[in-house]
Amino acid sequence: LREAPGGDEKRIAFLVRTALGRALEPREARRLAAYLADERQRLAADPAAAGSLARSPVTSVPSVDAADAAWVLVAHVVLNLDEFVTKP
């Protein structure tokens, strides 16, 4: 996502195009953008929750801010779609 063109909307479109191989529907774009905004706000109020998203038994990330943590959650949504998991 860091390589995607600027702006949340363009990054969301890049994420979906990269993961699913198709363009984003307008309704999907609105829902993912709203989810991103909600999670940014929630994680900004709870830095410990944001930091817990970076913990992994494989890697060690010293810290993660609310904006990056919110992107992790948006990516989880897209990567857990049936379309990504089971559709060719």
Side-chain angles (χ1 to χ4, degrees):
L1 288 172
R2 293 182 196 274
E3 298 172 10
D8 290 344
E9 292 78 18
K10 289 183 179 182
R11 286 184 174 163
I12 290 169
F14 177 82
L15 172 62
V16 169
R17 186 174 51 255
T18 302
L20 304 179
R22 67 169 176 83
L24 190 62
E25 298 289 329
R27 180 173 168 254
E28 295 169 321
R30 286 190 302 274
R31 292 185 75 184
L32 287 171
Y35 180 66
L36 176 64
D38 290 347
E39 290 304 313
R40 270 191 186 137
Q41 184 176 10
R42 180 182 71 82
L43 293 166
D46 187 0
S52 72
L53 289 171
R55 290 191 192 94
S56 163
V58 178
T59 63
S60 175
V61 177
S63 67
V64 75
D65 65 12
D68 287 343
W71 277 109
V72 168
L73 295 174
V74 171
H76 282 189
V77 168
V78 173
L79 297 177
N80 280 296
L81 291 172
D82 179 60
E83 183 177 355
F84 177 79
V85 176
T86 62
K87 304 289 189 220

